Amino acid sequence: MNNWNVYILLCDQKTYYIGLTDDMDKRLEEHKKGYSPYTKRFSDFELVYKEDYSKRYQAEKREQQLKKWSIAKKKALIDGNIELLRKLSKGT
């Protein structure tokens, strides 16, 4: 059984990229080699957040949710600032 990961990359210290994969090491290597159409324009990547799921559909649902979030909410999640995340979520 594959485990699925939803992950957030910080690209060039300014942009968040959200994706999902069942092979984190391979996917990070693909980003570094420029295989991803979105991230190939960046030169620096840092994995800043990751969640694990046992089912692909769960990971896909979470990925879509995170992609809709504001930058402030993403940063609060990455920083583990649950209080701020709750505060920001009340407005959405």
Side-chain angles (χ1 to χ4, degrees), residues 62-80:
R62 181 63 165 164
E63 176 194 29
Q64 292 307 310
Q65 179 187 37
L66 293 178
K67 284 182 174 184
K68 294 176 186 175
W69 282 13
S70 67
I71 292 171
K73 281 177 74 172
K74 292 172 191 170
K75 185 164 177 10
L77 177 69
I78 292 163
D79 293 343

Side-chain angles (χ1 to χ4, degrees), residues 6 10 25 30 44 51 57 65 67 72 81-83 91-92:
V6 175
L10 179 59
D25 292 333
E30 290 171 349
D44 181 49
E51 294 178 355
Y57 77 89
Q65 179 187 37
K67 284 182 174 184
N81 190 338
I82 303 304
E83 184 177 320
T92 60

Side-chain angles (χ1 to χ4, degrees), residues 27-41:
R27 189 65 180 127
L28 288 175
E29 201 55 38
E30 290 171 349
H31 283 296
K32 290 176 186 174
K33 291 181 177 178
Y35 297 160
S36 171
Y38 181 79
T39 60
K40 69 181 180 182
R41 61 190 168 126

Side-chain angles (χ1 to χ4, degrees), residues 7-11 15-19 24 28 31 39 45-49:
Y7 62 95
I8 301 176
L9 297 178
L10 179 59
C11 305
T15 302
Y16 291 120
Y17 172 85
I18 298 171
M24 195 77 240
L28 288 175
H31 283 296
T39 60
F45 305 96
E46 180 184 355
L47 177 64
V48 293
Y49 186 80

Side-chain angles (χ1 to χ4, degrees), residues 2 38 55:
N2 288 346
Y38 181 79
K55 307 277 189 211

